[in-house]
Amino acid sequence: MNAPFYQFGLFGNDTALLFAVIIGIGFGFFLEQAGFGSSVKLAQQFYFTDLTVFKVMFTAIVTAMQGLFWLSWFGVLDLSLVHVLPTFLVPQLVGGLVFGVGFVLGGYCPGTCCVASVTGKMDGWIHLLGMFAGIFLFGELFPLIGDWYSSTPKGEITLSQVFNLSHGTMVLLIVLAALAGFYSAEKLETRFRSIK
Amino acid sequence: MQTPKPYMNPYLAGIGLGLVLLAAFVVMGRGLGASGALSSFVTLGVNAVAPAHAQTNAFYKEYLGTPNGNPLNDWLVYEIAGVLIGGLISGLIAGRVRRTVDKGARITVSTRMIYAFGGGILMGLGSKIARGCTSGQALTGGALLSVGSWVFMIAVFASAYAVAYFFRKQWT
């Protein structure tokens, strides 16, 4: 078996779009099941009263990360054919800082906002409109900030390369950090819910 | 009106989400995304109103698509259509589909809407500056151990916690 299937030409573009819908359905389903269609639930993350965002995000990352590692270890998946987004250090740091303020203010992120909207949250629709406006603003500013947008390029660099560790060791460290994080999250939730 | 079912256990939902992400890697060799699809819609709009403007701007040009130039003929646009379907299915099963405004008890609906719109603008800007959002950078790049994605993720949480105090009335 050779994965990624699309990269090995097992199917064409039309089938790829069908898979896009199927994968999207799974994505939207679990986002809604986790409670991410509610801005109030999402925002509790930043007040320590409900750390579901952290738990779901890191469980998902750790699951997919280990899946990639083991499938590649057993020779099923060619990791070099999985597209890693290149790093642009300063723009990604600044973008993250702007995004974080938007998260607290708006209560949703782009994916969860779609799930909120489709389940009837009016603030989700308004948030979606705001995002269209923000992207339009970025597009109009692009001729001015395009150079900065492409500054500090570091290529397709990974944490394993930065810390000079093997892929497996890096994966293990992140799993251990996540487990410690989950333990702390449960403790924090109990404490902050009791003082509320 | 039926009482909504409780949410799924967060670790179980996380495993489900992780397996969906893994499926995207295995089937397509790429991860998930959300803000990219929204950019396609914005580009569609700009191209409809001012095609010359869209075609000379390097940002819109990237989303115009080839060869027939339809921005909606894009993997992420189909994926986000799936997200809407999947979210609706889950909401219907759990009895959570209803017209409402989600907010804390201490603010008015119009304040919540202004915040939602303002937050949306910042989020649109931020996700474009960072080349992706919680889906494309944090989840996808996070699992691939991409340095920029982890920097983005840490920056999101850092700035959100830094400003959370000032907006506490909205949520608590």
Side-chain angles (χ1 to χ4, degrees):
Chain A
M1 199 160 68
N2 288 322
F5 304 147
Y6 180 69
Q7 308 291 340
F8 280 99
L10 264 66
F11 52 84
N13 274 325
D14 291 345
T15 315
L17 294 179
L18 177 67
F19 277 120
V21 178
I22 297 170
I23 287 166
I25 290 176
F27 187 25
F29 180 86
F30 284 110
L31 285 179
E32 207 286 331
Q33 280 295 312
F36 292 175
S38 159
S39 54
V40 171
K41 179 152 176 91
L42 286 160
Q44 297 310 310
Q45 170 69 37
F46 306 116
Y47 302 93
F48 297 106
T49 37
D50 184 337
L51 300 177
T52 302
V53 171
F54 171 79
K55 294 181 206 170
V56 172
M57 255 180 83
F58 279 84
T59 308
I61 289 172
V62 161
T63 303
M65 176 184 71
Q66 290 187 91
L68 287 172
F69 176 76
W70 290 111
L71 290 176
S72 146
W73 178 267
F74 288 114
V76 177
L77 176 80
D78 185 349
L79 258 188
S80 68
L81 293 176
V82 176
H83 178 62
V84 181
L85 283 170
T87 291
F88 294 84
L89 214 49
V90 174
Q92 287 187 295
L93 177 71
V94 173
L97 294 174
V98 175
F99 192 98
V101 178
F103 208 159
V104 172
L105 203 53
Y108 298 108
C109 60
T112 53
C113 166
C114 291
V115 169
S117 300
V118 81
T119 51
K121 307 292 192 317
M122 292 300 123
D123 50 324
W125 286 105
I126 300 297
H127 187 100
L128 191 62
L129 284 181
M131 277 192 295
F132 284 138
I135 293 169
F136 176 67
L137 198 59
F138 178 83
E140 293 307 306
L141 289 172
F142 195 78
L144 297 174
I145 60 169
D147 287 341
W148 175 76
Y149 174 74
S150 297
S151 64
T152 55
K154 304 289 172 193
E156 295 180 5
I157 190 171
T158 64
L159 292 178
S160 334
Q161 290 167 301
V162 169
F163 293 111
N164 199 20
L165 296 166
S166 71
H167 185 199
T169 312
M170 196 68 229
V171 166
L172 180 67
L173 285 178
I174 292 175
V175 171
L176 291 176
L179 289 175
F182 297 147
Y183 177 79
S184 315
E186 298 295 338
K187 291 272 170 205
L188 277 169
E189 266 181 354
T190 313
R191 183 179 302 173
F192 278 84
R193 277 176 184 169
S194 64
I195 60 172
K196 200 184 163 187
Chain B
M1 196 181 274
Q2 104 192 78
T3 319
K5 291 201 178 83
Y7 295 123
M8 190 182 275
N9 173 290
Y11 300 108
L12 211 58
I15 290 172
L17 210 53
L19 291 177
V20 171
L21 176 56
L22 184 62
F25 286 135
V26 170
V27 175
M28 293 301 303
R30 64 176 298 167
L32 304 170
S35 53
L38 304 183
S39 307
S40 298
F41 284 106
V42 171
T43 302
L44 180 80
V46 173
N47 193 45
V49 177
H53 179 65
Q55 277 142 23
T56 50
N57 179 308
F59 171 71
Y60 298 129
K61 221 172 160 181
E62 201 187 318
Y63 287 95
L64 274 175
T66 47
N68 55 0
N70 183 358
L72 298 189
N73 196 12
D74 177 84
W75 199 85
L76 282 179
V77 171
Y78 280 77
E79 184 235 36
I80 212 74
V83 168
L84 293 172
I85 300 168
L88 184 63
I89 292 172
S90 166
L92 286 172
I93 291 173
R96 283 192 284 264
V97 181
R98 61 190 60 173
R99 192 192 159 110
T100 169
V101 175
D102 225 28
K103 64 174 192 65
R106 295 194 280 166
I107 60 157
T108 62
V109 167
S110 44
T111 309
R112 168 69 191 119
M113 290 310 196
I114 292 165
Y115 281 2
F117 191 73
I121 291 178
L122 290 177
M123 191 149 275
L125 274 173
S127 61
K128 287 302 104 185
I129 294 170
R131 292 174 164 75
C133 57
T134 11
S135 314
Q137 287 293 351
L139 286 180
T140 302
L144 290 167
L145 307 181
S146 160
V147 171
S149 303
W150 281 84
V151 167
F152 169 77
M153 198 171 1
I154 292 164
V156 169
F157 278 103
S159 82
Y161 277 109
V163 300
Y165 178 79
F166 305 105
F167 300 107
R168 64 191 183 284
K169 254 185 155 176
Q170 186 182 204
W171 305 117
T172 57

mmCIF file of all heavy atoms in Angstrom, chain B residues 141-169:
data_model
loop_
_atom_site.group_PDB
_atom_site.id
_atom_site.type_symbol
_atom_site.label_atom_id
_atom_site.label_comp_id
_atom_site.label_asym_id
_atom_site.label_seq_id
_atom_site.Cartn_x
_atom_site.Cartn_y
_atom_site.Cartn_z
ATOM 1 N N GLY B 141 -0.234 21.685 10.773
ATOM 2 C CA GLY B 141 1.193 21.951 10.947
ATOM 3 C C GLY B 141 1.698 21.420 12.278
ATOM 4 O O GLY B 141 2.841 20.991 12.397
ATOM 5 N N GLY B 142 0.822 21.448 13.294
ATOM 6 C CA GLY B 142 1.195 20.930 14.600
ATOM 7 C C GLY B 142 1.556 19.447 14.525
ATOM 8 O O GLY B 142 2.577 19.017 15.053
ATOM 9 N N ALA B 143 0.722 18.670 13.848
ATOM 10 C CA ALA B 143 0.966 17.227 13.721
ATOM 11 C C ALA B 143 2.197 16.944 12.862
ATOM 12 O O ALA B 143 2.869 15.927 13.041
ATOM 13 C CB ALA B 143 -0.260 16.539 13.124
ATOM 14 N N LEU B 144 2.502 17.854 11.934
ATOM 15 C CA LEU B 144 3.676 17.672 11.058
ATOM 16 C C LEU B 144 4.933 18.270 11.681
ATOM 17 O O LEU B 144 5.992 18.283 11.066
ATOM 18 C CB LEU B 144 3.411 18.322 9.695
ATOM 19 C CG LEU B 144 2.365 17.632 8.815
ATOM 20 C CD1 LEU B 144 1.962 18.522 7.653
ATOM 21 C CD2 LEU B 144 2.901 16.294 8.303
ATOM 22 N N LEU B 145 4.795 18.799 12.913
ATOM 23 C CA LEU B 145 5.909 19.386 13.665
ATOM 24 C C LEU B 145 6.508 20.604 12.980
ATOM 25 O O LEU B 145 7.687 20.925 13.178
ATOM 26 C CB LEU B 145 7.005 18.325 13.929
ATOM 27 C CG LEU B 145 6.557 17.017 14.575
ATOM 28 C CD1 LEU B 145 7.759 16.097 14.783
ATOM 29 C CD2 LEU B 145 5.874 17.256 15.898
ATOM 30 N N SER B 146 5.718 21.300 12.175
ATOM 31 C CA SER B 146 6.206 22.510 11.509
ATOM 32 C C SER B 146 6.481 23.611 12.541
ATOM 33 O O SER B 146 5.647 23.909 13.390
ATOM 34 C CB SER B 146 5.162 23.002 10.501
ATOM 35 O OG SER B 146 5.376 24.360 10.193
ATOM 36 N N VAL B 147 7.668 24.196 12.471
ATOM 37 C CA VAL B 147 8.079 25.207 13.452
ATOM 38 C C VAL B 147 7.146 26.418 13.423
ATOM 39 O O VAL B 147 6.685 26.890 14.463
ATOM 40 C CB VAL B 147 9.542 25.643 13.199
ATOM 41 C CG1 VAL B 147 9.915 26.848 14.065
ATOM 42 C CG2 VAL B 147 10.483 24.482 13.473
ATOM 43 N N GLY B 148 6.844 26.917 12.228
ATOM 44 C CA GLY B 148 5.979 28.088 12.100
ATOM 45 C C GLY B 148 4.603 27.839 12.702
ATOM 46 O O GLY B 148 4.004 28.733 13.312
ATOM 47 N N SER B 149 4.083 26.619 12.546
ATOM 48 C CA SER B 149 2.765 26.286 13.085
ATOM 49 C C SER B 149 2.770 26.306 14.606
ATOM 50 O O SER B 149 1.819 26.770 15.233
ATOM 51 C CB SER B 149 2.330 24.905 12.601
ATOM 52 O OG SER B 149 2.322 24.870 11.197
ATOM 53 N N TRP B 150 3.834 25.775 15.205
ATOM 54 C CA TRP B 150 3.929 25.775 16.675
ATOM 55 C C TRP B 150 4.119 27.192 17.191
ATOM 56 O O TRP B 150 3.555 27.560 18.222
ATOM 57 C CB TRP B 150 5.048 24.825 17.146
ATOM 58 C CG TRP B 150 4.582 23.388 17.120
ATOM 59 C CD1 TRP B 150 4.585 22.552 16.037
ATOM 60 C CD2 TRP B 150 4.003 22.643 18.196
ATOM 61 N NE1 TRP B 150 4.045 21.327 16.376
ATOM 62 C CE2 TRP B 150 3.692 21.351 17.691
ATOM 63 C CE3 TRP B 150 3.726 22.923 19.533
ATOM 64 C CZ2 TRP B 150 3.106 20.357 18.492
ATOM 65 C CZ3 TRP B 150 3.150 21.923 20.329
ATOM 66 C CH2 TRP B 150 2.841 20.656 19.801
ATOM 67 N N VAL B 151 4.893 28.009 16.484
ATOM 68 C CA VAL B 151 5.065 29.416 16.866
ATOM 69 C C VAL B 151 3.706 30.108 16.809
ATOM 70 O O VAL B 151 3.315 30.838 17.728
ATOM 71 C CB VAL B 151 6.084 30.122 15.941
ATOM 72 C CG1 VAL B 151 6.039 31.633 16.103
ATOM 73 C CG2 VAL B 151 7.488 29.601 16.213
ATOM 74 N N PHE B 152 2.943 29.855 15.728
ATOM 75 C CA PHE B 152 1.609 30.439 15.570
ATOM 76 C C PHE B 152 0.707 30.038 16.736
ATOM 77 O O PHE B 152 0.058 30.872 17.363
ATOM 78 C CB PHE B 152 1.008 29.978 14.234
ATOM 79 C CG PHE B 152 -0.458 30.299 14.077
ATOM 80 C CD1 PHE B 152 -0.877 31.580 13.761
ATOM 81 C CD2 PHE B 152 -1.428 29.312 14.246
ATOM 82 C CE1 PHE B 152 -2.225 31.878 13.624
ATOM 83 C CE2 PHE B 152 -2.777 29.590 14.109
ATOM 84 C CZ PHE B 152 -3.174 30.879 13.798
ATOM 85 N N MET B 153 0.695 28.739 17.045
ATOM 86 C CA MET B 153 -0.186 28.207 18.081
ATOM 87 C C MET B 153 0.128 28.830 19.442
ATOM 88 O O MET B 153 -0.776 29.253 20.161
ATOM 89 C CB MET B 153 0.014 26.686 18.131
ATOM 90 C CG MET B 153 -1.093 25.970 18.826
ATOM 91 S SD MET B 153 -1.032 24.175 18.703
ATOM 92 C CE MET B 153 0.395 23.741 17.776
ATOM 93 N N ILE B 154 1.410 28.912 19.783
ATOM 94 C CA ILE B 154 1.813 29.494 21.063
ATOM 95 C C ILE B 154 1.433 30.978 21.097
ATOM 96 O O ILE B 154 0.931 31.486 22.108
ATOM 97 C CB ILE B 154 3.329 29.274 21.302
ATOM 98 C CG1 ILE B 154 3.591 27.771 21.529
ATOM 99 C CG2 ILE B 154 3.831 30.089 22.493
ATOM 100 C CD1 ILE B 154 5.036 27.351 21.399
ATOM 101 N N ALA B 155 1.626 31.674 19.962
ATOM 102 C CA ALA B 155 1.283 33.101 19.897
ATOM 103 C C ALA B 155 -0.217 33.316 20.084
ATOM 104 O O ALA B 155 -0.645 34.253 20.767
ATOM 105 C CB ALA B 155 1.743 33.689 18.565
ATOM 106 N N VAL B 156 -1.043 32.433 19.495
ATOM 107 C CA VAL B 156 -2.503 32.547 19.635
ATOM 108 C C VAL B 156 -2.903 32.464 21.106
ATOM 109 O O VAL B 156 -3.604 33.328 21.624
ATOM 110 C CB VAL B 156 -3.236 31.440 18.830
ATOM 111 C CG1 VAL B 156 -4.717 31.395 19.191
ATOM 112 C CG2 VAL B 156 -3.073 31.657 17.333
ATOM 113 N N PHE B 157 -2.429 31.407 21.791
ATOM 114 C CA PHE B 157 -2.797 31.234 23.196
ATOM 115 C C PHE B 157 -2.240 32.366 24.048
ATOM 116 O O PHE B 157 -2.926 32.885 24.930
ATOM 117 C CB PHE B 157 -2.326 29.859 23.706
ATOM 118 C CG PHE B 157 -3.267 28.747 23.333
ATOM 119 C CD1 PHE B 157 -2.982 27.877 22.291
ATOM 120 C CD2 PHE B 157 -4.461 28.569 24.024
ATOM 121 C CE1 PHE B 157 -3.862 26.861 21.934
ATOM 122 C CE2 PHE B 157 -5.350 27.548 23.674
ATOM 123 C CZ PHE B 157 -5.046 26.695 22.632
ATOM 124 N N ALA B 158 -0.994 32.783 23.789
ATOM 125 C CA ALA B 158 -0.367 33.851 24.583
ATOM 126 C C ALA B 158 -1.169 35.143 24.482
ATOM 127 O O ALA B 158 -1.498 35.766 25.498
ATOM 128 C CB ALA B 158 1.074 34.068 24.117
ATOM 129 N N SER B 159 -1.513 35.552 23.262
ATOM 130 C CA SER B 159 -2.219 36.831 23.132
ATOM 131 C C SER B 159 -3.659 36.713 23.623
ATOM 132 O O SER B 159 -4.202 37.647 24.204
ATOM 133 C CB SER B 159 -2.140 37.366 21.701
ATOM 134 O OG SER B 159 -3.109 36.775 20.890
ATOM 135 N N ALA B 160 -4.292 35.558 23.428
ATOM 136 C CA ALA B 160 -5.666 35.386 23.908
ATOM 137 C C ALA B 160 -5.715 35.495 25.431
ATOM 138 O O ALA B 160 -6.564 36.193 25.992
ATOM 139 C CB ALA B 160 -6.230 34.052 23.444
ATOM 140 N N TYR B 161 -4.778 34.814 26.125
ATOM 141 C CA TYR B 161 -4.752 34.902 27.583
ATOM 142 C C TYR B 161 -4.411 36.311 28.040
ATOM 143 O O TYR B 161 -4.905 36.777 29.068
ATOM 144 C CB TYR B 161 -3.764 33.880 28.167
ATOM 145 C CG TYR B 161 -4.387 32.503 28.308
ATOM 146 C CD1 TYR B 161 -4.011 31.457 27.479
ATOM 147 C CD2 TYR B 161 -5.379 32.281 29.262
ATOM 148 C CE1 TYR B 161 -4.600 30.203 27.590
ATOM 149 C CE2 TYR B 161 -5.970 31.025 29.385
ATOM 150 C CZ TYR B 161 -5.580 29.997 28.553
ATOM 151 O OH TYR B 161 -6.171 28.766 28.665
ATOM 152 N N ALA B 162 -3.557 37.012 27.270
ATOM 153 C CA ALA B 162 -3.144 38.364 27.651
ATOM 154 C C ALA B 162 -4.313 39.349 27.624
ATOM 155 O O ALA B 162 -4.376 40.259 28.444
ATOM 156 C CB ALA B 162 -2.015 38.850 26.743
ATOM 157 N N VAL B 163 -5.249 39.172 26.694
ATOM 158 C CA VAL B 163 -6.347 40.147 26.580
ATOM 159 C C VAL B 163 -7.668 39.645 27.171
ATOM 160 O O VAL B 163 -8.632 40.407 27.266
ATOM 161 C CB VAL B 163 -6.588 40.587 25.106
ATOM 162 C CG1 VAL B 163 -5.328 41.224 24.532
ATOM 163 C CG2 VAL B 163 -7.063 39.433 24.247
ATOM 164 N N ALA B 164 -7.714 38.371 27.587
ATOM 165 C CA ALA B 164 -8.973 37.764 28.039
ATOM 166 C C ALA B 164 -9.630 38.578 29.164
ATOM 167 O O ALA B 164 -10.854 38.757 29.176
ATOM 168 C CB ALA B 164 -8.734 36.333 28.504
ATOM 169 N N TYR B 165 -8.806 39.095 30.080
ATOM 170 C CA TYR B 165 -9.330 39.840 31.223
ATOM 171 C C TYR B 165 -10.217 41.010 30.779
ATOM 172 O O TYR B 165 -11.269 41.266 31.380
ATOM 173 C CB TYR B 165 -8.161 40.360 32.069
ATOM 174 C CG TYR B 165 -8.592 41.190 33.245
ATOM 175 C CD1 TYR B 165 -9.067 40.585 34.415
ATOM 176 C CD2 TYR B 165 -8.556 42.586 33.194
ATOM 177 C CE1 TYR B 165 -9.488 41.335 35.492
ATOM 178 C CE2 TYR B 165 -8.972 43.350 34.277
ATOM 179 C CZ TYR B 165 -9.443 42.724 35.418
ATOM 180 O OH TYR B 165 -9.868 43.466 36.488
ATOM 181 N N PHE B 166 -9.835 41.702 29.723
ATOM 182 C CA PHE B 166 -10.559 42.898 29.277
ATOM 183 C C PHE B 166 -11.912 42.586 28.631
ATOM 184 O O PHE B 166 -12.751 43.457 28.480
ATOM 185 C CB PHE B 166 -9.682 43.709 28.312
ATOM 186 C CG PHE B 166 -8.347 44.062 28.896
ATOM 187 C CD1 PHE B 166 -7.196 43.398 28.507
ATOM 188 C CD2 PHE B 166 -8.262 45.032 29.894
ATOM 189 C CE1 PHE B 166 -5.966 43.712 29.074
ATOM 190 C CE2 PHE B 166 -7.044 45.350 30.471
ATOM 191 C CZ PHE B 166 -5.887 44.685 30.061
ATOM 192 N N PHE B 167 -12.094 41.349 28.239
ATOM 193 C CA PHE B 167 -13.357 40.989 27.577
ATOM 194 C C PHE B 167 -14.152 39.986 28.409
ATOM 195 O O PHE B 167 -15.037 39.315 27.886
ATOM 196 C CB PHE B 167 -13.073 40.428 26.179
ATOM 197 C CG PHE B 167 -12.368 41.406 25.287
ATOM 198 C CD1 PHE B 167 -11.025 41.243 24.977
ATOM 199 C CD2 PHE B 167 -13.042 42.509 24.780
ATOM 200 C CE1 PHE B 167 -10.364 42.164 24.172
ATOM 201 C CE2 PHE B 167 -12.383 43.428 23.972
ATOM 202 C CZ PHE B 167 -11.046 43.261 23.672
ATOM 203 N N ARG B 168 -13.830 39.891 29.700
ATOM 204 C CA ARG B 168 -14.441 38.839 30.534
ATOM 205 C C ARG B 168 -15.956 38.981 30.653
ATOM 206 O O ARG B 168 -16.659 37.998 30.788
ATOM 207 C CB ARG B 168 -13.804 38.832 31.925
ATOM 208 C CG ARG B 168 -14.042 40.102 32.739
ATOM 209 C CD ARG B 168 -13.150 40.101 33.986
ATOM 210 N NE ARG B 168 -13.388 41.254 34.842
ATOM 211 C CZ ARG B 168 -12.954 42.490 34.573
ATOM 212 N NH1 ARG B 168 -12.280 42.723 33.454
ATOM 213 N NH2 ARG B 168 -13.190 43.471 35.410
ATOM 214 N N LYS B 169 -16.436 40.236 30.559
ATOM 215 C CA LYS B 169 -17.872 40.469 30.677
ATOM 216 C C LYS B 169 -18.671 39.763 29.578
ATOM 217 O O LYS B 169 -19.818 39.381 29.780
ATOM 218 C CB LYS B 169 -18.154 41.971 30.578
ATOM 219 C CG LYS B 169 -18.522 42.620 31.896
ATOM 220 C CD LYS B 169 -18.889 44.049 31.639
ATOM 221 C CE LYS B 169 -19.804 44.626 32.666
ATOM 222 N NZ LYS B 169 -20.034 46.055 32.406
#
